[in-house]
């Protein structure tokens, strides 16, 4: 069963706009990670936020984590057509040792 | 540094056959994990190996098995294939086995069972 639920399932925006994706999970975690997947290819790690962190930045990416609400959000600023992909959150359960539980993903389409 | 390499890229098998998929992790990475991705079930954890030992296993039947060699390369095997085994099988490696270690994925093997 999937731990994470992502919202929205699909998002369509214009280049230059910001994209926000949300993830909710059910149990306590060590960390939460975000991955990107281009169609039919492997996943690319974007950012990892530990359970004791609240916000993390990496380039145009900003991730927040609210452990009290068991939720996280990924913000991509100034989106580009190349950002078109599926985005997944994944939780590393306490003591999970690389057993990540993935959400269903958000399909992002960025139109030129 | 070369990424995670999975072979073959595509595979077509008949129901009842068995299949072996191969994964070469990033040099120096000792942990290898396998995931199955399907449209219906999404990404699901299969198993994880570290230093040739299976440390974690997901909720898959015994038809799914794997192993890791001394050079950290890993193989997974699926016996008595079923139509529902059609999926993208992804291998991932990480430098450490433990928390806070991001996974590096290969491009996967697309298995089609007819």
């Amino acid at each position: 069963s999937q731990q994470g639920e992502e919202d929205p399932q699909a998002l369509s925006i214009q280049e230059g706009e910001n994209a926000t994706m949300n993830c909710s999970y059910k149990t306590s975690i060590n960390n939460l990670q975000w991955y990107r997947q281009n169609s039919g290819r492997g996943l690319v790690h974007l950012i990892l936020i530990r359970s004791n962190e609240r916000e993390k930045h990496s380039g145009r990416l900003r991730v927040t984590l609210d452990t009290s609400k068991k939720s996280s959000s990924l913000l991509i600023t100034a989106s580009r057509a190349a950002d078109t992909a599926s985005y997944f959150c994944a939780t590393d359960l306490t003591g999970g040792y690389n057993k990540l539980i993935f959400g269903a993903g958000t399909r992002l389409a960025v139109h030129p | 540094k070369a990424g995670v390499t999975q072979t073959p890229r595509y595979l077509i098998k008949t129901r009842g056959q068995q299949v072996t998929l191969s994964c070469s992790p990033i040099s120096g990475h000792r942990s290898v994990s396998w995931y199955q991705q399907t449209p219906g079930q999404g990404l699901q954890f299969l198993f994880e190996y570290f230093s040739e030992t299976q440390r974690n296993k997901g909720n898959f039947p015994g038809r799914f098995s794997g192993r890791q060699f001394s050079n950290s390369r890993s193989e997974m095997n699926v016996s008595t294939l079923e139509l529902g085994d059609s999926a993208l099988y992804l291998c991932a490696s990480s430098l450490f086995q433990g928390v806070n270690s991001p996974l590096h994925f290969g491009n996967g093997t697309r298995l089609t069972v007819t």
Side-chain angles (χ1 to χ4, degrees):
Chain A
S1 63
Q2 290 174 341
Q3 151 96 314
E5 305 229 343
E6 288 169 79
D7 163 53
Q9 290 187 329
L11 185 58
S12 181
I13 60 174
Q14 297 297 125
E15 262 191 333
E17 295 181 337
N18 294 342
T20 300
M21 289 160 261
N22 303 297
C23 168
S24 61
Y25 57 92
K26 298 173 185 171
T27 61
S28 62
I29 60 173
N30 275 317
N31 64 63
L32 187 143
Q33 304 178 35
W34 285 89
Y35 289 83
R36 183 188 76 222
Q37 184 179 37
N38 289 88
S39 181
R41 300 183 68 84
L43 282 75
V44 175
H45 180 261
L46 295 176
I47 199 163
L48 181 154
I49 185 165
R50 302 182 185 197
S51 59
N52 61 353
E53 297 175 313
R54 292 298 166 256
E55 188 171 311
K56 205 161 183 181
H57 296 256
S58 176
R60 295 183 294 112
L61 306 180
R62 173 178 160 248
V63 168
T64 61
L65 179 65
D66 187 333
T67 53
S68 67
K69 295 181 180 178
K70 292 186 169 61
S71 67
S72 173
S73 68
L74 169 67
L75 169 66
I76 303 174
T77 60
S79 295
R80 307 165 182 168
D83 294 328
T84 295
S86 291
Y87 292 81
F88 296 90
C89 68
T91 49
D92 189 345
L93 306 184
T94 303
Y97 292 107
N98 291 342
K99 179 179 178 179
L100 296 184
I101 308 297
F102 283 87
T106 293
R107 293 188 312 277
L108 173 66
V110 182
H111 302 284
Chain B
K1 191 182 267 191
V4 176
T5 303
Q6 290 188 246
T7 57
R9 187 79 175 88
Y10 299 95
L11 207 48
I12 300 175
K13 290 287 187 179
T14 303
R15 195 170 46 182
Q17 289 185 315
Q18 75 166 22
V19 67
T20 299
L21 313 181
S22 181
C23 172
S24 294
I26 291 173
S27 177
H29 285 196
R30 296 170 64 190
S31 172
V32 174
S33 307
W34 289 88
Y35 288 80
Q36 181 197 63
Q37 185 176 28
T38 60
Q41 299 297 316
L43 281 151
Q44 294 189 290
F45 173 81
L46 280 158
F47 26 65
E48 188 264 355
Y49 288 88
F50 183 82
S51 293
E52 301 179 67
T53 301
Q54 185 182 94
R55 299 296 182 103
N56 248 314
K57 185 170 167 44
N59 295 325
F60 279 82
R63 300 184 296 106
F64 292 81
S65 62
R67 59 178 175 169
Q68 185 182 35
F69 302 95
S70 58
N71 61 359
S72 294
R73 192 177 69 84
S74 178
E75 289 180 348
M76 68 163 281
N77 184 278
V78 187
S79 63
T80 319
L81 284 165
E82 300 177 359
L83 296 178
D85 297 333
S86 294
L88 181 65
Y89 289 88
L90 294 163
C91 167
S93 72
S94 66
L95 189 56
F96 305 109
Q97 186 211 30
V99 300
N100 302 320
S101 184
L103 300 185
H104 301 264
F105 282 84
N107 283 327
T109 293
R110 172 79 60 185
L111 172 65
T112 302
V113 182
T114 62

